[in-house]
Structures are given as C-alpha cells and as structure tokens.
Amino acid sequence: MPKLSLDVDKYLRTQVLPTVCCPGCRNGNTVEGLATAFSRMNIDPRKVVVVSGISCSGRTPFYVNSNAMHTTHGRALVYANGLKMAQPELMVAVTMGDGDTLAIGGNHFIHTARRNIDLTVLVYNNGISGMTGGQVAPTTPMGSGTTTSLLGSIDRTFDTVDLALAVGATYVARTTTFDMQEIPLRIQEAIAYPGFAVVGIIGQCPTYYGRLNQLGDATDMLIWERDRTDGVPAKMLKKEELLGPLGTGVFRTERTTEFTEAYKNRCARSGASYGHS
Ligand SMILES: Cc1ncc(C[n+]2csc(CCOP(=O)(O)OP(=O)(O)O)c2C)c(N)n1
C-alpha cells in the first residue's frame, strides 16, 4: 500500500484496505478527503465519531480510524443527533448516500438541519441507490436510466443544496469527486463550522449509473462529472450563477445559535444539569 501524503494514513484503517467498493467508484476520494481534513486539522481521532446509515457510502466509518457508528438506513442523523446531545465535545461527522439522506432519511434531514446542531454532514451523491442495485433515487437526473426506470426517470430531481438551504442548514457547500483538492477544504470548513454543516459531494457509480446510461468507463465518467458542474469556484461566480442547479462551492455560511449551546444555556438558566456534565 503506497504511503499517503501528510499523515493521512493515521486516520485510515489501512489494514482493511482496499475497500469493498466497485472498481471506478469515487467514494474512496471522499474517504480520503475526510482523513486529509482530520490530518490537516490535527484532530484527535479519539474525539471523532463517524456515523453512517446503510449504503455504499455508509461503509465510510469502516475505513476511517476513529470511533464509528454504522446505523440503519436513513437514520444516521438520529443517532448523530443523540450522540452530539449527550457528548457535545465530540466531533461528529455523518456520511450518507443520497437515498439515505433525501429519500428514507428526508424528514430527519429537514428537522436536524432546522435545529442547527453541530454536525458535519457529507452527502455522497451518485444519483442512484448504489448498494441495492442501481434503483432510482431522489437525486437521479431526470431522464436517466436506472434499474427501476429503464426508459428514463420522469421524476423531477431533488437538489441537496437547495434542500439544505431551504431547511436552514447554516453551512452549505457542494463539490465533486473530480475536484479532489476541494473535497478536504470543504470538509475542513464544515468541521470548523459551529452548526449543521452540509457538503454535497457529486460522485459516480460506473457499475450501475454509468452502464445504464452508456457513460463509458470511470475516466469518461470523471469528465462527465466535471461537465455536470460548472467547474468554476463559487467565489468567481455571480450570485445568480452560484444558485444554478449544480454550481460548486460554498452557498451559505450563516452564524446562528447552535443547538447544544442553546440547550446548555437553557439548562443553566433554570438550574438544571446538562446530561452527564
Ligand atoms: C429500512 C431500510 N430500508 C431499505 C433498506 C435497503 N437499502 C439498503 S442501502 C439502500 C439504498 C442505498 O442507496 P443510497 O442511500 O443512495 O447510497 P449508495 O449505496 O448509493 O451510496 C437501500 C434501499 C434498508 N437497509 N433498510
């Protein structure tokens, strides 16, 4: 196994690599991005919990050398919310598939964002339900073939960033696995952000989405991924361009009271103790 830059491998369970992902899957880039962010921020892995639901992306906690919670499909935010409430000093990152986040987990996403609890939420968007065999997902681009929409999906496409903005997430960004240098940067910002921070990461599933839509091999799909987004950093775009469906960059940074802080203050005002502390 070649040595990675920085001491990124300190944050990876290298003994279980390679991953179970299909050849050409880009989930590994996000896993590396997360480990790189931890490394650059010199985060103590014992103070980190990576929480996931069930999905290909839900395998992330297996590979990150920190505490891990592999929970149920669509419910990762529920566990993460409880964990953060109980131990607010922990850094909690949640890694979820697009179906995990926006289909079965949609309601949890809305209400956890609404309370602005300090979580770093990474939404892996491959436009499909990968783990279960390539079924249509809320993020499937309209017209795309999936194993449950062979003639092309006629549902309108859900946009992670639009939803996160609408429900009050206080840090919202989008990047792609093509923009490999950007992934750790966005994750670092999200970790440093004291609130509900969402990074949508457009990736690719050559096994299902690519084959069903004749997009070629993994390299061809990388180019396709680049072309789906504007490829221009958000700071160079005008506001109206930034809010296009697949612009990349940071869409919101808004400071407002974080939930565990608000709860702590409420407890202090009424003389109640906060959990175990
Ligand atoms: C309650 C429940 N419903 C359905 C499933 C089956 N299931 C497992 S993973 C998955 C979809 C995964 O797709 P996505 O969340 O988009 O992530 P990906 O695998 O593409 O990373 C489904 C439907 C399950 N495990 N639990």
Side-chain angles (χ1 to χ4, degrees), residues 26 49 61 67 75 92 102 109 113 116 139 149 153 157 161 180 196 209 225-226 233 244:
R26 302 286 291 174
V49 188
N67 300 290
R75 308 288 187 252
V92 181
L102 302 173
F109 183 81
N116 193 34
T139 48
S149 63
S153 169
T157 312
V161 164
M180 275 185 61
F196 193 83
Y209 193 88
E225 202 179 292
R226 180 197 64 190

Side-chain angles (χ1 to χ4, degrees), residues 34-267:
L34 187 59
T36 305
F38 288 159
S39 171
R40 287 184 188 160
M41 297 171 90
N42 200 22
I43 287 177
D44 179 353
R46 290 168 303 185
K47 300 274 167 54
V48 174
V49 188
V50 181
V51 184
S52 76
I54 304 292
S55 55
C56 295
S57 19
R59 307 289 296 190
T60 302
F62 290 55
Y63 306 117
V64 179
N65 194 17
S66 68
N67 300 290
M69 279 182 100
H70 189 217
T71 72
T72 47
H73 187 47
R75 308 288 187 252
L77 282 172
V78 180
Y79 290 86
N81 184 82
L83 186 60
K84 187 72 186 178
M85 282 294 292
Q87 300 203 40
E89 69 284 2
L90 292 175
M91 190 263 127
V92 181
V94 191
T95 60
M96 296 186 291
D98 38 9
D100 215 5
T101 316
L102 302 173
I104 189 171
N107 225 16
H108 297 301
F109 183 81
I110 291 171
H111 294 289
T112 320
R114 188 168 67 84
R115 64 177 14 182
N116 193 34
I117 188 160
D118 181 24
L119 299 174
T120 295
V121 179
L122 308 184
V123 184
Y124 295 52
N125 181 355
N126 57 10
I128 209 159
S129 290
M131 178 169 263
T132 37
Q135 295 85 354
V136 76
T139 48
T140 301
M142 232 177 151
S144 298
T146 71
T147 49
T148 48
S149 63
L150 288 170
L151 300 179
S153 169
I154 51 175
D155 284 332
R156 285 185 289 169
T157 312
F158 225 10
D159 185 284
T160 314
V161 164
D162 282 352
L163 182 67
L165 291 171
V167 297
T170 46
Y171 173 95
V172 181
R174 173 163 38 223
T175 186
T176 78
T177 58
F178 176 83
D179 300 292
M180 275 185 61
Q181 305 289 336
E182 216 176 81
I183 299 177
L185 292 178
R186 295 287 96 91
I187 297 176
Q188 280 171 255
E189 288 166 0
I191 292 172
Y193 214 77
F196 193 83
V198 180
V199 184
I201 302 167
I202 294 177
Q204 53 168 280
C205 173
T207 301
Y208 291 113
Y209 193 88
R211 272 197 305 189
L212 287 161
N213 293 286
Q214 289 90 46
L215 290 172
D217 64 17
T219 315
D220 299 325
M221 281 195 81
L222 258 189
I223 306 299
W224 166 81
E225 202 179 292
R226 180 197 64 190
D227 293 344
R228 281 182 75 199
T229 57
D230 44 48
V232 182
K235 59 179 179 308
M236 293 170 64
L237 295 174
K238 296 196 203 93
K239 194 157 183 259
E240 53 283 13
E241 291 170 326
L242 187 65
L243 293 176
L246 288 179
T248 57
V250 180
F251 292 77
R252 177 184 286 153
T253 52
E254 180 188 302
R255 296 278 167 158
T256 181
T257 317
E258 192 273 328
F259 188 78
T260 59
E261 282 304 314
Y263 191 72
K264 224 180 272 176
N265 292 340
R266 177 59 54 88
C267 290

